[in-house]
Amino acid sequence: MGEVPGFGSWLPPQYQTLAHMFHGARCPSCPTKKAPTHPALCLFCGRLVCCASSCCSRTMPEPGNPRLVVEVGECNQHARACGGGTGVFLMIGLTTVLVIRNDRGAFLPSVYLDGHGEEDRGLKRGRPLYLSRSRYQSLRELATNASFDHDTRVLQLTSNLNSHSF
């Protein structure tokens, strides 16, 4: 894949700034024109998409098996269009990272941590969160080197069960 110019370089140092930027933002593809229930932010291009929602899903041929038609969610559609089958999305309401590679998906730890270096999955504790440069850099290296298929940390978290629904 080579260098990924701008990969998430626009992420603000504080999560609250990001949450404020996208609070109530509408998915540009969504026929309902409502804010996504599970908003996902593409770290390749910065586009907001709906995740795990039927509103933006489409029926498409299965990659590698065009005779098989599957229902594909917007994250998968966007990964195919933007990243050649690879997508890296920050799940705004959860702070986790969704990685999609062809027909597989994995939720990776957040790149935003609190002052003690801990995640706040689902924003339950309400502490300020800050961009972890080391986690961001690790994620950027995985994307730049197209290493999602080879990194054991990612492979342990990977599932192909209903990954098309994302």
Side-chain angles (χ1 to χ4, degrees):
M1 188 175 253
E3 180 64 20
V4 181
F7 177 87
S9 60
W10 35 264
L11 287 173
Q14 287 192 325
Y15 177 80
Q16 288 76 1
T17 303
L18 181 78
H20 180 70
M21 287 168 48
F22 289 97
H23 178 73
R26 295 183 171 107
C27 168
S29 304
C30 194
T32 66
K33 300 298 180 206
K34 294 182 180 178
T37 304
H38 303 288
L41 184 64
C42 177
L43 293 181
F44 287 124
C45 70
R47 184 181 174 116
L48 183 72
V49 297
C50 294
C51 182
S53 180
S54 62
C55 60
C56 294
S57 63
R58 292 189 344 205
T59 303
M60 299 176 75
E62 172 80 26
N65 188 1
R67 293 185 302 190
L68 180 63
V69 178
V70 293
E71 194 75 16
V72 178
E74 191 177 11
C75 286
N76 267 286
Q77 293 173 47
H78 187 74
R80 291 177 187 183
C82 180
T86 300
V88 184
F89 301 91
L90 177 63
M91 301 301 299
I92 294 179
L94 300 173
T95 75
T96 57
V97 174
L98 171 64
V99 174
I100 293 175
R101 175 77 176 118
N102 294 328
D103 61 346
R104 296 186 327 268
F107 283 100
L108 302 183
S110 179
V111 292
Y112 283 95
L113 305 175
D114 67 16
H116 300 287
E118 298 175 348
E119 293 184 44
D120 187 3
R121 254 189 141 167
L123 305 171
K124 294 182 176 155
R125 293 193 312 256
R127 295 182 182 151
L129 301 174
Y130 305 95
L131 185 63
S132 166
R133 287 286 165 201
S134 61
R135 285 196 180 186
Y136 165 76
Q137 191 57 38
S138 294
L139 186 62
R140 181 181 169 88
E141 286 174 17
L142 283 172
T144 299
N145 299 326
S147 300
F148 295 119
D149 292 334
H150 310 290
D151 187 274
T152 56
R153 294 167 298 173
V154 175
L155 291 173
Q156 286 177 332
L157 299 170
T158 299
S159 168
N160 64 357
L161 186 64
N162 290 327
S163 63
H164 291 298
S165 64
F166 293 114

